[in-house]
Amino acid sequence: MAAVYRAGAALFRAGRPALLGAHRVQSTLSYAQTIENVPETKLTTLENGLRIATEESDQPTCTVGVWIEVGSRYETEKNNGVGNFLEHMVLKGTKRHPHLALEREIASRGAHLNAYTSREQTAYYMKTLAKDMPTAVELLSELVQNSSFTEADVGTGRRLVLQEMQEMESSLEEVSFDYLHATAFQGTPLSYTVVGPSKNVKDLKRSDLLEFMTGHFKGPRIVLAASGGVRHEEVVALARQHLSGIPSTYEDDAIPVLSPCRFTGSQMLVRDDAMPFAHIAIAVEGVGANNPDMIPLSIASSLIGSWDRTYGGGANHSSRLARIAVENKLGHSFRSFNTCYSDTGLWGIHLVCDGMNIEDLLHFAQDEWMRLCTSVTDSEVNRAKNLLKTHLVAQLDGTTPTCAEIGRQVLSHGRHVSLAEWNSRIDAVDAQVLREVCTRYIYDQCPAIGAVGPIEQLPDYNRIRSAMYWLRL
């Protein structure tokens, strides 16, 4: 990625008037040529199905991580929350590196160890100096294979998870999105929250955590990703040394298969007039990560955009919905989203406003959705395409986000999709294609709604549903 930023700096310097500097530097590379210079991602598969994906550069630091195809979607109603609980337990250390020894080892090298669990993936990753990459691979390998935690550790972890759950309840955006998933995918595993209900967290035992770990931490579902000052052959050799013992078979051949998660147009509302703002998440069914319509829907999401009243720009904001919100003082913020899972997704918008502006802000948001389906222009689409391209490049600022993107994409797509390929797929979309795709997924579709706060003014569901189409002569 260093080539992108060096070329980007050159382009910036080339755009300055000559009077501002004695030497004017001109770039001979276009944006498309620049992204072609991004290092390729090399991919190797071990005998047990575990994949190693690396992106090499000359940076003095690197990020190494283990991405595993498991999350709350692989849980049941009875053990929902076990994956998030297990994430905390894995970081407790191993027999060779107990908790305090692990912390000292990481701190002495100036490294950072972190982890996260989502609905379909779990990751453990470490950022460190390039020379300490072998140690990082060794420690991560131990954590996912030989993590040792006692019943006492489980009790301590339980208190931490319950505390984390209390803190998450104060993030109303996360709460509204959990409500959105709960109603949109009701009766399916995608409706489960990542942390699970408090009752499950209180009932889970050490044996439950170990059973979940041994049942899902399998070679074909694991990717060892690395980015920065690494060499692919060295990472592969380390993986063979430390990770080749991970089994690839399941007990009694009980291979977990994801069942389809149906989408249901519905709503889950929690009214609380004591809250200062209403948080409303509204979405239609989107597409999976490998669906070609994912690109047009991402462009549509970029076109709607995001806005916060603390932003500058005001009435000159590029998003039409943002200009309307500013001119009419309608809300606090909004954010359009396109969330993709393996076989389905959610496309929608998250609105934050006071209780007296809900109806107006929601009306204008749905009006913009209908405009996407009927009358969006080429100039608007081109602007959204440029925004999406900028976002794709900007989010890879450093070895850690690059490593995370590699790990996620190899699990989702079976490979790392290059920026050049994303660029060409984005360029292939014009206004007509966008209108057709948005009509297919948005126009006259039943939305799902998750809302919390002072939502007395939220229109009846039938009224919201009737705004998903226009009566035209």
Side-chain angles (χ1 to χ4, degrees), residues 68-76 118-121 188-192 212 216 221 250 254-262 288-290 340-344 411-412:
I68 309 169
E69 191 179 10
V70 65
S72 60
R73 188 176 178 180
Y74 291 84
E75 299 169 356
T76 65
S118 65
R119 283 181 164 83
E120 289 190 334
Q121 296 180 5
T188 73
L190 268 181
S191 67
Y192 301 152
F212 188 80
H216 292 282
R221 295 168 63 183
Y250 294 84
I255 301 175
V257 177
L258 288 177
S259 57
C261 290
R262 68 181 183 279
N290 290 301
C340 297
Y341 296 107
S342 59
D343 56 351
T344 187
L411 284 181
S412 300

Side-chain angles (χ1 to χ4, degrees), residues 112-149:
H112 299 278
L113 175 65
N114 212 335
Y116 71 82
T117 301
S118 65
R119 283 181 164 83
E120 289 190 334
Q121 296 180 5
T122 299
Y124 304 91
Y125 57 95
M126 184 184 301
K127 180 165 186 175
T128 185
L129 293 173
K131 66 181 181 65
D132 293 327
M133 184 271 294
T135 302
V137 174
E138 179 184 356
L139 291 176
L140 289 169
S141 302
E142 279 196 49
L143 290 174
V144 299
Q145 293 179 95
N146 304 311
S147 184
S148 63
F149 48 88

Side-chain angles (χ1 to χ4, degrees), residues 328-339:
N328 297 280
K329 300 179 180 179
L330 290 182
H332 184 278
S333 65
F334 68 81
R335 178 176 67 86
S336 187
F337 59 87
N338 181 30
T339 303

Side-chain angles (χ1 to χ4, degrees), residues 142-188:
E142 279 196 49
L143 290 174
V144 299
Q145 293 179 95
N146 304 311
S147 184
S148 63
F149 48 88
T150 63
E151 288 290 355
D153 292 329
V154 172
T156 303
R158 195 190 321 276
R159 289 190 292 272
L160 290 174
V161 173
L162 291 172
Q163 181 180 349
E164 179 187 73
M165 293 173 68
Q166 289 182 331
E167 294 172 353
M168 288 181 64
E169 289 177 0
S170 63
S171 174
L172 296 182
E173 180 175 357
E174 289 192 34
V175 171
S176 62
F177 271 92
D178 280 343
Y179 289 165
L180 178 64
H181 281 79
T183 191
F185 298 111
Q186 54 188 276
T188 73

